[in-house]
Amino acid sequence: MPEIKVTPLGAGQDVGRSCILVSIAGKNVMLDCGMHMGYNDDRRFPDFSYITQNGRLTDFLDCVIISHFHLDHCGALPYFSEMVGYDGPIYMTHPTKAICPILLEDYRKITVDKKGEINFFTSQMIKDCMKKVVAVHLHQTVQVDEELEIKAYYAGHVLGAAMFQIKVGCESVVYTGDYNMTPDRHLGAAWIDKCRPDLLITESTYATTIRDSKRCRERDFLKKVHETVERGGKVLIPVFALGRAQELCILLETFWERMNLKAPIYFSTGLTEKANHYYKLFITWTNQKIRKTFVQRNMFEFKHIKAFDRAFADNPGPMVVFATPGMLHAGQSLQIFKKWAGNEKNMVIMPGYCVQGTVGHKILSGQRKLEMEGRQILEVKMQVEYMSFSAHADAKGIMQLIRQAEPRHVLLVHGEAKKMEFLKQKIEQEFHVSCYMPANGETTTIVTNPCIPVDISLGLLKRETALGLLPEVKKPQLMHGSLIMKDNSFRLVSPEQALKELGLTEHQLRFTCRVHIQDPRKEHETVLRVYNHLKAVLKDYSVQHLPDGSITVESILIQATAHSEDQGTKVLLVSWTYQDEELGSYLTALLKKGLPQGT
Amino acid sequence: FFQYCLSGHPTLPCNVLKFKSTTIMLDCGLDMTSTLNFLPLPLVQSPRLSRLPGWVLKDGSTFLDKELKECSGHVFVDSVPEFCLPETELLDLSTVDVILISNYHCMMALPYITEYTGFTGTVYATEPTVQIGRLLMEELVNSIERVPKAQSASMWKNKDVQRLLPAPLKDAVEVSMWRKCYTMPEVNAALSKIQLVGYSQKIELFGALQVTPLSSGYALGSSNWIIQSHYEKVSYVSGSSLLTTHPQPMDQASLKNSDVLILTGLTQIPTANPDGMVGEFCSNLAMTVRNGGNVLVPCYPSGVIYDLLECLYQYIDSAGLSNIPFYFISPVANSSLEFSQIFAEWLCHNKQTKVYLPEPPFPHAELIQTNKLKHYPSIHGDFSNDFKQPCVVFTGHPSLRFGDVVHFMELWGKSSLNTVIFTEPDFSYLDALAPYQPLAMKCVYCPIDTRLNFIQVSKLLKEVQPLHVVCPEQYTQPPPTQSHRTDLMIDCQPPPMSYRRAEVLTLPYKRRYEKIEIMPDLADSLVPMEIKPGISLATVSAVLHTKDNKHVLQLPPKPPQPTVGKKRKRVSDDVPECKPLKPLLSGSIPVDQFVQTLEKHGFSDVKVEDTAKGHIVLLQEAETLIQIEEDSTHIICDNDEPLRVKLRDLVLKFLQKF
């Protein structure tokens, strides 16, 4: 039986270092190649030795697909392609291809230049890695090789995020990456057609959450920011440079405009202006409204939001600062956090999910005394708020996607085991499909039952559909044909054509039965009686009396001769071919019973 | 498999294919050359145009002098300009299922089709095609609606009247079909019927066909289309370019193995080299400006203008033109410049790489930033304050019959210092200039048409090897003005099938196969046997299900178990209801082995006689005779069913079933 095998090397019952191996119809595809923000040792990257111990990865993988530019989905890519060694194709959308190297470079700088790690990938490696990337359009069918094709669907989540369909013959898998089922201020909602994949691999970050309306969350967020600023406090919003940052910037920008507020809003330097530029150039990937109005007013040109300088952190008075990275695990956001943490007037708003081990995760789980480098203890007096602005689908959204795509099986990744368990039950109950949630390194095997596509000769098909079109024949028609199998090609043709193609001649098998009938009348009168009898019984058949004195029932021939010895007995010769076996056999039995009186 | 040809214009095609009971319209181009027969629409009252004399027939009758005016030796219709629509009578256009658009120039008739014919289908086009197409339509509607014309001439269209008119009015075709411009609500309604598609996206049509747009290299988002079933492939090539300008390069490889290739939209100026023309454009422009004159470039608001601006960007500093203002005047100038920057994915590799940096892909962003290029919605308003001469003005419409260009022709036509440079190839420049004669300004003709020329076509056809080529009749003979240039026509084997307006072609293709799916359980039940080395055969008896043009074969339902103890019914009730199909037989029966088998089954009195073609096997006691020949067996017996069935089964053992 054909199977699809799935092994997560990362993101199996976990969030971070997404990396899922899929084997489908003899093809091996790697989905995402991410890093884990919670680790600084070997565990930060997927264990690629699982794929092969000593061979080249290129020989084992047909392609690599990156769903979006977040580092937990692409952070290990240069390590994988340049240090472990992979030369095959890597697919991602255009915006991902544009933005991903910038985030990788940023990640490299923090790791190597700031933390002083060695044996990490270099800038050159990032460049070499990106040369292997093939950019894809939405909905474009990309033929990886003769059999393997992939297709990207819009996923929302961040600029350029995509879900991917992987298809070989009629077997297929859909991998969602991270997605968002509700449109927001700058992106549209994820969408997929009813593609009925054998397997849907979906993220499940918010497996148990059903979020309240976005409007409420936004109002809440604005209220908190406004209150803090009003009482002279400083607001720190740790974000990743691209994604939620733009969403929240648009939100604050419009609010500042409307309320005519004066407190400065800053965006931490470096990536930001560049980031907004990407949004302007890839505006076709944003939502309908922004695309429609961009000529009049480009939403990514901010009037109130200015570039941040490190010195501004010590300025007196209120301010709002967006700073990277989003989980407070390093860089500018962490520096500002350390400066402001001691003042209870200040506030930090965590707008997204934080991975275990990060400062963000610690303060969100209520820790107020943090051990920093050099055993320093940092006391957190500032207010800590969590607001889920990450653009992940919630439980409702995940169910909605399953309803849209109608998969035969579902597999959960990119979530926490406990929450997955709950969602798994819900999915199995509601959709009656099996749902899996393998841990890292654990292989799930799914048996598929693919149909076999065959070429049918139009003659045979037309013959059958023509029969099917007759109004009185409502029942499905039985079709008879010959399947010719040659060089892996399958063709269904009529038996006659099969014989002809194979250079064989038909062998005709014919039967002629002598049926004796007691009838003293003249031959032609007997024939007439037989004819009338058959006509009366076989109403649905074509019964004909031919000028030469014979009778036909369909293609069966009946002739009468006098018995050589007994004038009172007539001999009916009933002759038919094997193809009319049923009718011929029936006719002889019928005639054997004799003719009814009075005909 | 038919093709209905609704347009005779080779670069503004409109064809309808009927293929597998699907009706597909390929492009709906609008022939605007009809407007050349009309007087220009001036933005500002023009004393010259308003004083033109009415046209008088030879016999002195003046009944047409309101509708027709004489101007510098030509006769023009004094009315709102009208366009020549594609044929609407050749077939019922409400039956069209889908419309495939190849580029923004080939969709200008869309509102006439979708809003006036009862069309209920879907239109497919790429995003840049739709966005820029919308801009072209907006500009068109705007430039006609902003100059309300009281008069709408129709008398001259009367067949008996038209005969009396001078050429070219006398010879104008289908004047009764000419229509006034559509309105913005109609444009919006038409565009709302478009579904956006991306290159290499496979779009299923009713399960019967698959259509796929491919990059054609001619304009932003321009596409060729593949229309295919599982067995037949039709390629529709329309407006393609192999030159490296701004759009993504043409995808040629995917056109391979076509059964039919429909070829339209080749270059209209086969003898001009676009690169050379761009060079001439720049030098003429520089010369005029250096001498203190103004340059007028009648153009569309999108397309070649991006390339011209890019050339000028590289050229102006070296040519010492840094202080000369460039004006781009169109109601959609700003939108066009903005939109050009956001279609990174549809651009050539170099421009894509710029976006990755991230920088705007087109340098006109910098020209705007440095104030070298300024854009205005019209000559009214800000422009009149900023206007400085000498300058360069890009504006429409290239026909010189409407739009802001009319104003500049009137303004600058009298001075020989000024130059008008024609770059768009859609209109004959002499015809365009006719109502402005006599002109003192210089006229330079630098048509830039990047579409395929005949050398490229012949290379392309060799490369992709279609079985049949279909093209407009104009491409099967040299251009009328250069009848000796036999190189300016399509040359391929077999020769192309040509079409003309209002013709219906039967395309040479016969379908022989269809795709069907065999369900896994049915497949498991099949018993293949090897007939010849490498060829196996299995007989299939299955139930056919057809839904949405997809065919599936399933295991037949198990026959109901005969109920035990069922009473025998009367004979007539037992008529077999449907004939279960018996397989065909093949093979031959070796007489000796057959006789042995008979004996093994208890027939002791078997006698064999040789005949001319085979043998006769006699079972004497049973009065039965079996004629065996190479390709037939005939069992002749008394009405003894058990015996017959026994013999039948023995014979069948020696034969193969199909």
Side-chain angles (χ1 to χ4, degrees), chain B residues 78-250:
Chain B
D78 187 12
S79 172
V80 185
E82 295 179 337
F83 310 118
C84 179
L85 266 57
E87 285 299 315
T88 49
E89 306 293 320
L90 195 58
L91 82 160
D92 180 1
L93 292 179
S94 70
T95 61
V96 170
D97 297 307
V98 297
I99 302 179
L100 308 180
I101 304 289
S102 55
N103 63 65
Y104 47 75
H105 285 300
C106 292
M107 61 185 284
M108 297 299 280
L110 195 63
Y112 295 117
I113 307 289
T114 60
E115 307 310 302
Y116 289 97
T117 63
F119 172 80
T120 54
T122 311
V123 185
Y124 292 98
T126 64
E127 183 165 8
T129 301
V130 177
Q131 299 296 4
I132 297 173
R134 178 195 296 275
L135 298 183
L136 292 186
M137 291 180 180
E138 225 177 286
E139 190 194 56
L140 187 66
V141 172
N142 182 292
S143 48
I144 288 178
E145 285 183 354
R146 66 201 264 219
V147 191
K149 188 121 185 157
Q151 154 154 293
S152 174
S154 60
M155 226 189 315
W156 70 275
K157 290 185 184 178
N158 185 308
K159 272 204 178 103
D160 295 326
V161 178
Q162 200 197 350
R163 267 190 306 121
L164 307 171
L165 305 182
L169 279 177
K170 184 174 67 178
D171 310 316
V173 287
E174 313 262 4
V175 288
S176 59
M177 301 274 298
W178 290 12
R179 289 284 174 275
K180 269 181 250 164
C181 191
Y182 33 72
T183 62
M184 267 330 273
E186 285 164 352
V187 169
N188 289 329
L191 295 181
S192 72
K193 298 181 169 86
I194 300 183
Q195 197 166 321
L196 299 183
V197 293
Y199 289 150
S200 303
Q201 179 178 347
K202 296 176 177 171
I203 304 135
E204 289 284 333
L205 299 185
F206 319 108
L209 292 176
Q210 200 181 55
V211 295
T212 309
L214 304 173
S215 176
S216 78
Y218 166 59
L220 268 175
S222 71
S223 22
N224 293 321
W225 289 85
I226 302 287
I227 302 130
Q228 60 188 341
S229 70
H230 288 291
Y231 303 94
E232 302 86 14
K233 177 169 171 180
V234 178
S235 294
Y236 174 57
V237 174
S238 165
S240 299
S241 177
L242 292 170
L243 297 180
T244 318
T245 58
H246 57 274
Q248 210 181 97
M250 176 182 179

Side-chain angles (χ1 to χ4, degrees), chain A residues 455 479 491 502 512 514 581, chain B residues 231 513 542 623 634 648:
Chain A
D455 298 343
M479 156 185 274
R491 282 184 308 126
L502 293 169
T512 302
R514 292 184 289 263
E581 175 71 359
Chain B
Y231 303 94
Y513 282 98
E623 286 190 51
H634 193 169
R648 178 192 75 190

Side-chain angles (χ1 to χ4, degrees), chain B residues 400 409-410 412-415 420 433-434 436-443:
Chain B
L400 305 190
M409 283 304 296
E410 295 283 335
W412 291 344
K414 287 161 230 113
S415 164
V420 54
L433 288 171
Y436 299 96
Q437 301 289 4
L439 271 177
M441 88 193 290
K442 280 197 291 288
C443 304

Side-chain angles (χ1 to χ4, degrees), chain A residues 550-566:
Chain A
S550 53
I551 299 170
T552 58
V553 179
E554 302 286 328
S555 62
I556 294 170
L557 185 72
I558 302 170
Q559 287 170 306
T561 54
H563 198 279
S564 51
E565 290 146 30
D566 179 2

Side-chain angles (χ1 to χ4, degrees), chain A residues 89-107:
Chain A
I90 302 168
Y91 294 97
M92 50 178 87
T93 65
H94 282 271
T96 309
K97 185 181 174 188
I99 294 164
C100 158
I102 290 164
L103 295 188
L104 287 170
E105 180 58 29
D106 195 52
Y107 173 41

